[in-house]
């Protein structure tokens, strides 16, 4: 448990540092957009590409582990839809609630926990899994959020293609897999340049995620945010654990997948809610509350295992 605490506490202290810096206006709001783009489009893709491209893909990729990692979001998606049918949640909020219940923050928090707790090998395995898992998350999210009436099919298809084609995490993971599969060596200059970029990826990502949190809307959406957190932080990784055990995987093998499944709701749920006629306020409240609660749930999951 001491190892878990010495991993989780520093990670979330950096997140809280970002929140404090934003609160005292040391990190003003107009800088968050450029910093977020730097992390999302440059630093994290560089890290993922290098880790996967320089790894032995056949040694790190396990189809059974991938199957066990992709199954839980589908289960939660089905359970969430059944729950919504039994409630009177407004349509604009229902899609955002459901998306927040399975769409995890893989790039900013999941990969950070994987690296600081599992090391380089765990990060490499998590990076490979994250590309496939993020692809599934985007597919489900575009399916559940509602475009303008009368243009649903066209809007969903275009939005899905856009999210896949411009998603740097998916593209960097797929490019890294191609380099690894075909054993294409990275020139030393390129490798060292990627290492420099990778060094700023996770620390800056944690600062940005902390500075992006907003506690103002939590009170207005507390019940829905807590329910979404129950799905995302507790039930989703629990289903993943059952799937891994049922598939006969050992703890050392499935831990990178479980770390990704236990990640809090992704900040991109806010963007997708705004663009696809969801509820940005609910998304903001859910992301903030789930991110803060994940410090506790990560500690419990890693400690129990």
């Amino acid at each position: 448990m001491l190892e878990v605490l010495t991993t989780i506490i520093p990670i979330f202290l950096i997140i809280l540092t970002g929140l404090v810096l934003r609160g005292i206006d040391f990190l003003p709001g107009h800088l968050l957009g450029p910093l977020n783009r730097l992390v999302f489009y440059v630093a994290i893709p560089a890290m993922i590409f290098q880790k996967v491209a320089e790894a032995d893909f056949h040694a790190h990729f396990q189809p059974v582990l991938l199957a066990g990692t992709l199954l839980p979001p589908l289960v939660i998606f089905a359970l969430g839809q059944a729950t919504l049918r039994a409630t009177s949640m407004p349509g604009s909020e229902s899609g955002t609630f459901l998306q927040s219940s399975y769409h995890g923050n893989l790039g900013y928090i999941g990969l950070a926990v994987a690296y600081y707790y599992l090391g380089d090998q765990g990060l490499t395995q998590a990076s490979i899994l994250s590309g496939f898992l993020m692809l599934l998350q985007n597919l489900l999210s575009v399916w559940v959020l509602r475009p303008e009436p009368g243009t649903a099919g066209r809007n969903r298809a275009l939005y899905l293609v856009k999210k896949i084609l411009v998603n740097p995490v998916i593209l960097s993971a797929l490019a890294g897999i191609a380099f690894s599969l075909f054993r294409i060596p990275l020139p030393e200059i390129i490798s060292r340049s990627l290492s420099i970029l990778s060094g700023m990826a996770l620390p800056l990502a944690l600062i940005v995620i902390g500075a992006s949190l907003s506690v103002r809307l939590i009170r207005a959406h507390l019940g829905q945010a807590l329910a979404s957190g129950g799905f995302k932080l507790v039930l989703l990784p629990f289903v993943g654990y059952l799937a891994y055990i049922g598939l006969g995987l050992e703890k050392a093998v499935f831990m990178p997948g479980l770390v990704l499944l236990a990640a809090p709701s992704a900040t991109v749920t806010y963007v997708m809610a705004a663009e696809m006629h969801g509820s940005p306020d609910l998304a903001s409240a859910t992301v903030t509350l789930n991110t803060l609660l994940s410090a506790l749930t990560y500690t419990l999951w890693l400690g129990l295992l």
Side-chain angles (χ1 to χ4, degrees):
M1 179 60 78
L2 180 60
E3 183 183 358
V4 173
L5 292 175
T6 55
T7 299
I8 299 302
I9 291 177
I11 289 175
F12 282 87
L13 282 178
I14 301 304
I15 292 176
L16 290 177
T17 298
L19 182 61
V20 171
L21 291 177
R22 173 69 186 278
I24 63 176
D25 208 32
F26 187 85
L27 187 58
H30 69 270
L31 290 180
L32 288 181
L35 285 176
N36 186 64
R37 288 192 294 273
L38 176 63
V39 172
F40 188 65
Y41 287 100
V42 179
I44 286 181
M47 179 188 70
I48 291 176
F49 173 74
Q50 182 189 26
K51 291 296 181 184
V52 178
E54 295 183 343
D56 184 343
F57 181 77
H58 297 286
H60 288 89
F61 176 72
Q62 299 192 38
V64 177
L65 175 60
L66 177 61
T69 304
L70 296 182
L71 176 63
L74 295 172
V75 173
I76 297 303
F77 182 81
L79 290 176
Q81 285 191 315
T83 301
L84 289 174
R85 284 195 291 268
T87 66
S88 57
M89 191 178 300
S92 61
E93 294 183 354
S94 61
T96 300
F97 171 84
L98 183 55
Q99 184 189 186
S100 301
S101 299
Y102 62 80
H103 199 149
N105 194 335
L106 309 182
Y108 285 35
I109 297 182
L111 292 181
V113 175
Y115 175 68
Y116 292 117
Y117 187 65
L118 301 174
D120 278 328
Q121 182 172 342
L123 176 61
T124 300
Q125 293 172 325
S127 296
I128 294 173
L129 290 173
S130 67
F132 294 99
L133 185 55
M134 191 168 290
L135 178 59
L136 176 62
Q137 289 181 164
N138 282 334
L139 285 168
L140 294 178
S141 296
V142 174
W143 175 262
V144 75
L145 292 174
R146 302 185 307 170
E148 291 285 355
T151 59
R154 178 172 59 85
N155 277 7
R156 281 181 176 171
L158 291 176
Y159 193 80
L160 176 60
V161 170
K162 174 185 173 183
K163 284 299 174 183
I164 293 174
L165 290 180
V166 303
N167 189 305
V169 174
I170 296 175
L171 295 180
S172 60
L174 293 178
I177 289 172
F179 270 69
S180 179
L181 274 174
F182 296 104
R183 293 181 169 84
I184 303 173
L186 292 179
E188 187 68 18
I189 293 177
I190 299 299
S191 180
R192 291 190 177 186
S193 299
L194 291 173
S195 295
I196 294 172
L197 288 174
S198 300
M200 71 174 179
L202 297 179
L204 189 55
L206 296 176
I207 290 287
V208 169
I209 193 68
S212 301
L213 299 180
S214 174
V215 298
R216 180 177 58 86
L217 295 170
I218 291 180
R219 181 177 298 180
H221 300 279
L222 182 60
Q224 295 161 313
L226 283 174
S228 174
F231 277 107
K232 183 68 195 72
L233 302 175
V234 179
L235 191 56
L236 178 59
F238 179 67
V239 173
Y241 174 75
L242 294 180
Y244 296 139
I245 296 300
L247 292 170
L249 296 174
E250 297 181 357
K251 180 181 70 173
V253 174
F254 70 68
M255 280 303 293
L258 189 68
V259 165
L260 294 180
L261 293 177
S265 300
T267 53
V268 74
T269 58
Y270 175 87
V271 178
M272 296 185 77
E275 292 188 20
M276 299 288 285
H277 308 283
S279 173
D281 286 353
L282 175 59
S284 179
T286 301
V287 168
T288 300
L289 184 61
N290 287 356
T291 299
L292 297 175
L293 290 177
S294 66
L296 174 62
T297 54
Y298 259 130
T299 301
L300 293 176
W301 279 116
L302 298 182
L304 288 173
L305 293 174

